[in-house]
Amino acid sequence: MQKEKEWFEHWFDTPFYHILYDYRNDDEARHFMTNLVDHLKLAKNDKILDLPCGKGRHAIFLHEKGFNTTGADLSENSIKYAKQFEKAGLNFDIHDMRNPLKGSYDAIFNLFTSFGYFNQETTNIKILKNFKNALRPGGHIVIDFLNLEKVIENLVPEQHISKKGIDFTIRKNVSDNFIIKKIIVKHKQEVHHYIEKVQALDLDKMKLFTKAAGLEIQEIFGDYDLNPFNKSHSERLILLMK
Ligand SMILES: C[S@@+](CC[C@H](N)C(=O)[O-])C[C@H]1O[C@@H](n2cnc3c(N)ncnc32)[C@H](O)[C@@H]1O
C-alpha cells in the first residue's frame, strides 16, 4: 500500500502554493541575497547550496552574482520548473533535507521558513547536522525562520484571499506547539484542502538545536536588511551559524 503523503510533500508541490505566496518574489530574493552575500563576504565562484530552493528564486540570482550555486528541493514540480534555468555553475536537484548531502559548500542557505516541518523536533538537529557535514572549513549556514512572537501576536484566525480566479480561505491557529494553517482552495468547480504546519520554534529552541548539532550561532538578524533581531518587532529570525 502506498504511504499517504505528508503535508509538505503535497502543498508545496501544487500551483496553488505558488499563487498564494506570489508576493514572496524575485525582488524580495534579490534584496535579501544582495545583503547577505555582501555581509558574508563570499568570494566569486564560492559554492552555495540553497536548500530548499523552491522554484529557484534565490539560487538563480546567486548564480547571476557569480557564485557556483546548487538549488535542491523535495518538490518535483518546483525542480522541474527550476531546471529550465540550469547552466554552467547553476544546478537543481531533488533532495530531501532529512537525508545526508553529497557535495561540500562554502555556504548553505535555508530560506523563507523552510525549517520545523516535521513531527519530531529531533529531525531539526538531524537536518542541521546534514548541513554541518556538507560545509567547507570556514563555511556559513543561514536559517531564515519566522519570528514566533510576532507571528502569534499578529495571527489572523480566518482570512479570505482571491488571486488569479482562485479563492483561498485560510484558518490559522497554534496547537500542540505547531503553527497550523488550514487552506481551502476553491478553483472552478473544485475544492481542495491543504495544510501547512510549522513547529512553533523560538530563539531558545533554535539555540538548543544548534548546540546539539555541534554548530555555533554567530549572528542573529531580524529582517532582510540584516537589522539585529528583536523578538517583539522583527519580521524574521535569521540565524547565521558556523
Ligand atoms: C516555504 S517554501 C520556501 C522555498 C524557497 N526557499 C523560497 O524561498 O522560495 C518551503 C520549501 O521546502 C520544500 N520542502 C519541504 N520539505 C522538504 C524536505 N523534506 N526536503 C527538501 N525540501 C523540502 C518545499 O517543497 C518548499 O519548496
Side-chain angles (χ1 to χ4, degrees):
M1 208 168 63
Q2 222 188 351
K3 205 176 143 238
E4 207 179 307
K5 277 192 176 183
E6 299 262 17
W7 72 266
F8 50 85
E9 293 171 299
H10 202 42
W11 167 234
F12 293 125
D13 211 32
T14 69
F16 305 122
Y17 160 72
H18 295 282
I19 293 168
L20 183 62
Y21 285 93
D22 60 2
Y23 58 97
R24 298 298 193 177
N25 55 23
D26 293 346
D27 289 345
E28 182 192 69
R30 279 164 201 267
H31 174 76
F32 182 27
M33 290 303 96
T34 302
N35 292 337
L36 189 61
V37 296
D38 284 357
H39 185 82
L40 297 178
K41 298 190 173 53
L42 292 174
K44 205 167 183 299
N45 293 323
D46 271 1
K47 274 186 81 183
I48 302 179
L49 173 66
D50 176 15
L51 173 61
C53 64
K55 286 182 167 178
R57 62 187 178 125
H58 299 95
I60 292 165
F61 180 64
L62 289 167
H63 176 259
E64 280 170 22
K65 297 252 319 163
F67 302 108
N68 188 327
T69 310
T70 299
D73 199 289
L74 190 63
S75 161
E76 286 179 21
N77 284 328
S78 292
I79 291 301
K80 197 169 152 194
Y81 177 89
K83 272 190 175 287
Q84 69 182 297
F85 303 103
E86 277 189 336
K87 50 187 77 149
L90 177 63
N91 298 295
F92 291 99
D93 294 309
I94 293 174
H95 182 80
D96 187 326
M97 60 184 152
R98 291 168 293 180
N99 296 332
L101 289 156
K102 281 203 192 93
S104 65
Y105 302 91
D106 299 290
I108 300 177
F109 296 162
N110 175 281
L111 305 173
F112 179 39
T113 324
S114 298
F115 199 77
Y117 290 168
F118 312 103
N119 286 330
Q120 306 297 327
E121 284 194 347
T122 47
T123 310
N124 299 325
I125 300 167
K126 191 168 151 188
I127 290 166
L128 289 177
K129 280 186 180 165
N130 289 340
F131 289 179
K132 181 183 170 220
N133 292 338
L135 212 58
R136 289 179 172 170
H140 314 273
I141 296 171
V142 175
I143 308 286
D144 161 29
F145 196 65
L146 52 79
N147 175 10
L148 185 64
E149 186 157 311
K150 193 84 190 279
V151 166
I152 291 178
E153 190 188 297
N154 295 321
L155 194 116
V156 181
E158 181 160 324
Q159 254 180 311
H160 298 275
I161 299 171
S162 290
K163 278 184 182 178
K164 298 195 173 165
I166 300 165
D167 294 321
F168 297 92
T169 301
I170 301 159
R171 299 202 177 104
K172 289 183 206 161
N173 72 309
V174 180
S175 160
D176 287 337
N177 279 323
F178 278 90
I179 303 161
I180 300 172
K181 236 186 228 183
K182 288 183 182 144
I183 304 145
I184 304 164
V185 176
K186 290 194 184 133
H187 181 227
K188 296 182 178 163
Q189 302 305 320
E190 292 176 8
V191 179
H192 305 273
H193 292 257
Y194 299 102
I195 199 153
E196 219 181 274
K197 206 173 144 205
V198 178
Q199 286 168 13
L201 303 175
D202 61 7
L203 179 56
D204 288 342
K205 273 275 170 69
M206 288 296 211
K207 282 182 177 167
L208 289 178
F209 301 145
T210 309
K211 196 165 176 227
L215 289 159
E216 245 177 65
I217 296 179
Q218 299 226 302
E219 282 181 272
I220 308 174
F221 307 109
D223 57 37
Y224 294 153
D225 288 321
L226 307 187
N227 289 307
F229 176 72
N230 172 307
K231 74 174 182 175
S232 315
H233 303 118
S234 293
E235 289 299 326
R236 308 291 302 162
L237 169 62
I238 302 169
L239 303 170
L240 169 58
M241 302 172 183
K242 273 205 169 184

